[in-house]
Amino acid sequence: MSETFKALVLEEGKKAPVASLRQLEQAGLPDGEVLVRVSHSSLNYKDGMILKGLGRLARKYPHVPGIDLAGAVLESSDGRYRPGDAVVLTGWRVGEAHWGGYAQLARVKADWLVPLPDGLSPKQAMAVGTAGFTAMLAVQALEDHGLLAGEAEEVLVTGASGGVGSVAVALLARLGFHVAAVTGRPENQGYLEDLGARAVVPRQALSGAPGKPLLSERWAGCVDAGGGHMLAHVLAEMRYGGSVAACGLAGGATLNTTVLPFLLRGVNLLGIDSVMCGFESRVRVWQRLARLLPGSALEAMTTEIELAQLPDYADRILNGKLRGRTVVVLG
Ligand code: NDP
């Protein structure tokens, strides 16, 4: 039986897309094997860009954004999923090239879904969301390159009060690393310490070109959501053989560095991409997130909003004004 549902729809505008809340028909959904009743989605930096038309990430209008979603299967023509199954989706360019999670119904490919892991509710899964999934990928990349818990030097997290940063701080602390959180907002010091940061570093201390290609060795590893000048500075301060997991560009896409950290200190610059990640790895990452992240940490970093608030919150995430993760409630 076909039903109507509420969605946030973007239409092409002269300068930027125009968002409105609408009732849509189920028959108008894009193709896919699985129809999901979406209970929660989230706001990520990329959603902010799509909502405001930056970077031309979404090109076909009308468009339903939302790069992640959690909910329950309503209909499935794929044997892997049955009505009532709890599922979660991040990546695969959903919310960019395919209608996404800012709607009460979504029709998607079965290959894009992952069963909701035991221990996480749909709301908690979206408190993690794409940002938290990326943080886990980044931490695993550092571990795969030899980072061990309990080492003397600290592991740095940049953009620490944002979505990727908050989850990275909580995960690293839980795994026994000594975490130093970089923030441009000193008022978030208590928040970051509560998530597990041992030290809070002002962003100013790492901004600007490093001056010399190599500075004193300070960091055992780094989850970098900031990019830009800050990343160049961090590379110059990595200890011998240390790794930086580069996730984001909140501080800019230009990287002005030299080859010296790589040649003389064996530093590894690891690129993290959460969009294309195979099913087996995705399931493992979600299960590890469910095991590691305490509900209390997720609660502390989460703000809940409704669809109608998204355009305002998009401005706020792009201006670095949000703290932690923002969950969108569709129910
Ligand atoms: P948020 O906006 O939640 O967090 C970004 C944080 O970066 C801010 O909270 C702020 O933290 C800091 N920041 C803001 N402006 C600047 C600036 N000008 N210079 C340096 N730091 C700044 O975004 P997300 O956590 O969702 O995403 C962070 C980045 O990671 C984005 O670039 C996003 O596109 C990318 N990303 C990449 C993914 C991948 O697969 N590679 C997946 C998900 C996200 P504070 O105030 O504490 O300094």
Side-chain angles (χ1 to χ4, degrees):
M1 201 182 70
S2 185
E3 59 175 283
T4 63
F5 61 97
K6 192 163 69 174
L8 186 87
V9 180
L10 294 182
E11 291 284 358
E12 193 156 21
K14 279 205 177 110
K15 286 190 180 154
V18 181
S20 62
L21 277 183
R22 287 215 219 135
Q23 281 297 126
L24 299 182
E25 295 284 339
Q26 185 181 319
L29 283 167
D31 289 344
E33 299 90 25
V34 186
L35 181 67
V36 180
R37 187 175 297 289
V38 181
S39 63
H40 299 83
S41 181
S42 83
L43 176 68
N44 297 273
Y45 192 89
K46 195 189 258 180
D47 292 308
M49 295 178 71
I50 292 165
L51 284 161
K52 296 297 163 186
L54 304 179
R56 298 202 63 224
L57 295 171
R59 295 181 180 199
K60 268 177 72 182
Y61 297 95
H63 178 63
V64 175
I67 67 168
D68 49 29
L69 60 92
V73 171
L74 208 54
E75 293 171 10
S76 171
S77 62
D78 185 289
R80 286 170 287 177
Y81 293 100
R82 287 188 307 188
D85 287 350
V87 288
V88 58
L89 188 157
T90 65
W92 302 114
R93 300 197 64 224
V94 169
E96 296 176 65
H98 188 95
W99 284 10
Y102 295 165
Q104 290 170 319
L105 291 182
R107 200 195 303 278
V108 296
K109 281 189 187 295
D111 284 348
W112 297 340
L113 291 166
V114 170
L116 188 73
D118 287 344
L120 281 186
S121 67
K123 178 185 154 190
Q124 287 173 322
M126 284 299 101
V128 174
T130 306
F133 184 83
T134 305
M136 186 80 257
L137 286 178
V139 170
Q140 291 191 167
L142 296 181
E143 290 173 330
D144 290 347
H145 284 76
L147 188 69
L148 295 171
E151 301 198 40
E153 290 104 337
E154 288 160 322
V155 179
L156 200 65
V157 176
T158 69
S161 2
V164 174
S166 293
V167 180
V169 169
L171 283 173
L172 286 163
R174 189 76 173 179
L175 288 164
F177 294 100
H178 300 168
V179 184
V182 183
T183 182
R185 291 176 281 176
E187 66 273 21
N188 287 342
Q189 171 148 1
Y191 165 79
L192 293 166
E193 287 169 348
D194 288 348
L195 290 181
R198 292 253 188 125
V200 175
V201 179
R203 198 197 291 162
Q204 281 166 312
L206 297 170
S207 60
K212 291 193 243 166
L214 293 174
L215 302 168
S216 301
E217 296 177 47
R218 283 179 81 183
W219 317 113
C222 173
V223 175
D224 178 52
H229 289 310
M230 201 159 41
L231 175 55
H233 201 116
V234 170
L235 286 169
E237 291 187 344
M238 292 304 297
R239 75 155 189 215
Y240 191 86
S243 302
V244 177
C247 308
L249 42 63
T254 303
L255 177 59
N256 188 4
T257 186
T258 72
V259 290
L260 293 183
F262 312 107
L263 299 186
L264 299 181
R265 291 208 180 136
V267 170
N268 304 298
L269 182 57
L270 312 172
I272 304 299
D273 175 27
S274 64
V275 175
M276 301 298 174
C277 172
F279 179 78
E280 302 296 334
S281 320
R282 240 173 234 281
V283 169
R284 274 200 304 277
V285 168
W286 275 109
Q287 288 176 345
R288 199 165 175 215
L289 280 160
R291 275 198 310 276
L292 280 175
L293 276 177
S296 55
L298 283 174
E299 190 71 31
M301 65 176 82
T302 301
T303 304
E304 282 184 45
I305 64 167
E306 295 171 4
L307 281 181
Q309 294 170 277
L310 275 163
D312 171 43
Y313 271 71
D315 282 325
R316 292 163 72 174
I317 199 166
L318 292 175
N319 289 309
K321 296 269 192 286
L322 294 184
R323 189 173 85 176
R325 297 277 302 132
T326 304
V327 169
V328 185
V329 182
L330 278 301

